[in-house]
Amino acid sequence: MKLDTVKFKRDTPPMTRQNSPHHHGDLRAALIAAGIKILESDGIAGLSLRKIAARVGVSHAAPAHHFKGKNALLVAIAAQGFRTFTALMRAGRENASPDPHDQLAGLCRGYLEFAEKHEALFELIFSTGIKAHADDELRETSTQAYQLLEDTCALFEPSPHHEKSNEIMIWSLVHGYATLRVYNKLMSPDGETVLPFEFILPHLTPREPHAADKN
Amino acid sequence: MKLDTVKFKRDTPPMTRQNSPHHHGDLRAALIAAGIKILESDGIAGLSLRKIAARVGVSHAAPAHHFKGKNALLVAIAAQGFRTFTALMRAGRENASPDPHDQLAGLCRGYLEFAEKHEALFELIFSTGIKAHADDELRETSTQAYQLLEDTCALFEPSPHHEKSNEIMIWSLVHGYATLRVYNKLMSPDGETVLPFEFILPHLTPREPHAADKN
DNA sequence: GCCATATCTTGACACTGTCAAGTTTAACGT
DNA sequence: ACGTTAAACTTGACAGTGTCAAGATATGGC
């Protein structure tokens, strides 16, 4: 399928690009948005720079002026992915009762919701090749996601073994569960809905409210 | 870098291919082996059919006669990956004391060892695009891996919540922890060595040895 | 109004997976 | 022993990929 021959068929009318072959308007953001769309429809394997450029309506080499390479665009997409990831976790937590167990369960619900509804994006942000420490924006957004989890874990007494044991355990648990559910590997494919945290959560003892913990 | 021009530079002497441009001998196995080597050196992104073929010393289209496509070769490589994965888990378990907690900890040690020492292979076997239920060999090998975990979890009393809760919890925990460690995302990059199962394991109660459980 | 510069296009390159057609080798029935 | 058939491999082609170089055009500062 020749993609470059249908160059000027964009999905949105060229509001930003005023009848001129150059200066799209906000090409950088448009590329990220189009990349996410293609990612959600064609998966991570079907994502190519040329396809993104064609969808936005620019030439195949246009993205090079906004991103250092394909990987840089993927990093920007991943950063956006982390933002909606954090938003879903926060929403899940806010829709729960103030009880610490419910708070944590709500956070995990948001986690799983992201993994389910944005499968390709979920795979992207946790894939090799996307080094979180390489890019400033990606480091920022991923840190915020971890921060939210850390805050929620702070509602409980820390483990006597290690101060970060709670975070690591919860994060591993929910991430592993999400991964195995999404990829449907090694688990019964009949769509189990049992959550492992319902088994693990009672073992966590809520912290004494020695201060005004209303975050 | 022109790869096709150095076609006959294979890494092993052509013992199986007796001075003839055809009939390699056991090309299928050689392609899988070469694929794993390239995978471990160049990562999952640097793996191409042509590179594999060049390394074995055959033309770029030779693999097509043994694998339906690139994905089929990846599936075969993944199957082999599952085999060493299971072997490492089994070895970790066999090197532990008969105590159920030690048995499970040994298994998890093997799990993490595989994820660490065979990073790209670990990413491959748990990636989308490799559907475990599509290929017979892959389904077989992945089932064996899960079976070993299930057997080890059977050393403990099942959770009152759900009969498979132990398996799901342990698998999620170790898989999530391995993933986060390998990709080094969202966790302190100072190489923590705290294992979350050391916190989780004491909550599991060993099963009563009502039968001769010496597996 | 002019010019530097950012923005985008066109064209080329090497590399990729996959297909079609040809060539050599091995296997097998007679 | 020999000729036919099928398998194994090669060569060549094609569209698609990321990336670079060079050219065209519009924007914004002077």
Side-chain angles (χ1 to χ4, degrees), chain A residues 9 20 28 36 52 59 67 75 77 83 95 100 163 184 190-192 198-199 206 215:
Chain A
K9 177 173 162 274
S20 84
R28 203 191 125 94
I36 291 180
I52 296 176
S59 77
F67 301 98
V75 163
I77 291 177
R83 271 187 273 265
N95 287 347
E163 52 168 350
N184 238 354
D190 53 3
E192 302 252 9
E198 292 177 358
F199 174 48
N215 182 14

Side-chain angles (χ1 to χ4, degrees), chain A residues 1-3 22 48-50 60-61 69-70:
Chain A
M1 180 166 53
K2 290 204 168 193
L3 285 169
H22 304 85
S48 76
L49 270 181
R50 292 174 111 104
H60 64 265
K70 182 185 184 182

Side-chain angles (χ1 to χ4, degrees), chain A residues 113-154:
Chain A
E113 189 184 349
F114 177 77
E116 255 182 38
K117 294 191 179 174
H118 307 90
E119 186 173 324
L121 213 42
F122 177 75
E123 189 180 7
L124 175 67
I125 71 178
F126 288 109
S127 67
T128 54
I130 305 290
K131 296 295 173 202
H133 299 283
D135 179 76
D136 280 347
E137 190 190 12
L138 186 56
R139 180 155 26 85
E140 166 76 15
T141 53
S142 66
T143 299
Q144 282 183 357
Y146 182 65
Q147 193 61 242
L148 182 59
L149 174 92
E150 209 171 26
D151 292 346
T152 311
C153 285

